[in-house]
């Protein structure tokens, strides 16, 4: 039975690379994107590579598009095997320090990175329950690790900002709570740390490729029955090379 995977924010960067990687495994990939032109172009490019890719208009901050996406998936497939909550934004004010932060900026970032994940997950949960063993991957970040950002020995200690790190810390807690609620089911919920990846998201300042980052999502999306649930897993910045593992909350 072909698995059905929905990736939000899948028209570029890590989301597109994740769609390509999951499609290469034989999954039907639903390319979620709020911009119809870019979303269709991404799905078309994947289909041209021989993958079963389809565009789904989905703005994680818009309840109407979320429900329309649920209705589409329900009508065509009757279930969802993999949900990758990848859509995200980053914002900062002035120097980026907490004292320069505007409250409205925090609201804007949380609208997509936090509230959007809850809205999409809750809307699709009935369809995820219809799958034999669904997987939910919340694309988080190492900067959401309070342990890492407050440890003077950590390479991340130099970062002092509120909107984006706080949103990812909140996403980590959300992941842990969903995993706890669903612990007696076959559904696994984990947070992914793709690492500092070169994308438009950071003006291509990262040092990892979207393909490397996507492998983190793919790993969590294809966990076996004895795999973990409720962890932050992915690139380990403190080690040399491309090594992955569990990160501290």
């Amino acid at each position: 039975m072909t698995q059905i995977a929905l990736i939000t924010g899948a028209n570029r960067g890590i989301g597109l690379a994740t769609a390509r990687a999951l499609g290469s495994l034989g999954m039907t990939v639903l390319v979620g994107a709020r911009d119809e032109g870019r979303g269709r172009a991404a799905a078309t490019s994947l289909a041209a590579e021989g993958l079963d890719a389809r565009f789904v208009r989905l703005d994680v901050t818009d309840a109407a598009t979320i429900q329309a996406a649920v209705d589409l998936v329900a009508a065509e497939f009757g279930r969802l095997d993999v949900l990758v909550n990848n859509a995200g934004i980053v914002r900062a004010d002035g120097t980026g320090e907490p004292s320069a932060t505007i409250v409205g900026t925090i609201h804007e970032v949380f609208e997509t990175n936090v509230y959007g994940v809850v809205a999409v997950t809750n809307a699709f949960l009935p369809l995820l329950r219809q799958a034999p063993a669904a997987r939910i991957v919340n694309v988080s970040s190492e900067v959401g690790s309070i342990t890492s950002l407050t440890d003077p020995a950590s390479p991340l200690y130099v970062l002092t900002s509120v909107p984006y790190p706080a949103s990812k810390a909140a996403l980590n807690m959300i992941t842990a709570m969903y995993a706890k609620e669903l612990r007696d089911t076959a559904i696994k919920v984990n947070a992914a740390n793709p690492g500092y990846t070169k994308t438009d998201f950071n003006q291509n300042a990262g040092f990892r490729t979207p393909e490397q980052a996507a492998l983190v999502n793919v790993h969590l999306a294809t966990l076996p029955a004895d795999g973990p649930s409720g962890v932050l897993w992915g690139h380990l910045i403190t080690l040399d090379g491309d090594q992955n593992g569990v990160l501290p909350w």
Side-chain angles (χ1 to χ4, degrees):
M1 184 170 62
T2 300
Q3 289 191 306
I4 313 302
L6 170 65
I7 306 95
T8 66
N11 60 286
R12 60 180 180 174
I14 297 172
L16 178 58
T18 299
R20 177 176 288 108
L22 291 176
S24 297
L25 294 178
M27 295 188 190
T28 294
V29 290
L30 306 179
V31 179
R34 61 183 178 181
D35 185 292
E36 183 170 354
R38 293 176 179 176
R40 288 193 182 280
T44 299
S45 70
L46 294 175
E49 297 172 20
L51 308 181
D52 185 4
R54 313 179 192 188
F55 165 68
V56 175
R57 183 167 181 268
L58 179 54
D59 180 344
V60 303
T61 68
D62 185 329
T65 70
I66 295 173
Q67 188 57 53
V70 170
D71 293 343
L72 185 154
V73 175
E76 189 156 353
F77 306 106
R79 72 180 195 285
L80 184 63
D81 298 279
V82 175
L83 171 61
V84 181
N85 286 307
N86 169 75
I89 62 173
V90 62
R91 299 284 188 274
D93 300 305
T95 62
E97 296 176 311
S99 58
T101 301
I102 298 171
V103 172
T105 302
I106 301 176
H107 279 292
E108 182 183 5
V109 173
F110 269 58
E111 191 71 33
T112 295
N113 297 4
V114 180
Y115 311 147
V117 171
V118 173
V120 170
T121 301
N122 285 351
F124 278 97
L125 198 51
L127 288 172
L128 289 160
R129 290 182 183 276
Q130 292 301 311
R135 302 290 180 258
I136 301 173
V137 182
N138 294 330
V139 181
S140 186
S141 170
E142 57 211 347
V143 304
S145 167
I146 296 175
T147 299
S148 296
L149 262 68
T150 55
D151 179 2
S154 169
L156 301 174
Y157 185 72
V158 297
L159 177 62
T160 304
S161 181
V162 172
Y164 186 73
S167 75
K168 293 305 184 180
L171 181 57
N172 290 345
M173 178 60 78
I174 287 168
T175 301
M177 293 300 103
Y178 273 106
K180 188 162 67 169
E181 177 184 355
L182 298 168
R183 63 186 178 277
D184 294 325
T185 74
I187 301 174
K188 295 187 183 298
V189 190
N190 290 290
N193 174 41
Y196 194 34
T197 304
K198 184 183 295 186
T199 66
D200 293 343
F201 199 71
N202 53 33
Q203 292 75 52
N204 295 303
F207 55 81
R208 283 166 59 76
T209 67
E211 290 71 28
Q212 287 175 308
L215 290 177
V216 173
N217 295 338
V218 171
H219 174 81
L220 295 175
T222 57
L223 285 172
D226 61 352
S229 188
V231 300
L232 172 60
W233 189 93
H235 183 244
L236 300 173
I237 195 172
T238 55
L239 298 177
D240 294 331
D242 186 24
Q243 298 188 51
N244 299 318
V246 176
L247 285 81
W249 293 124

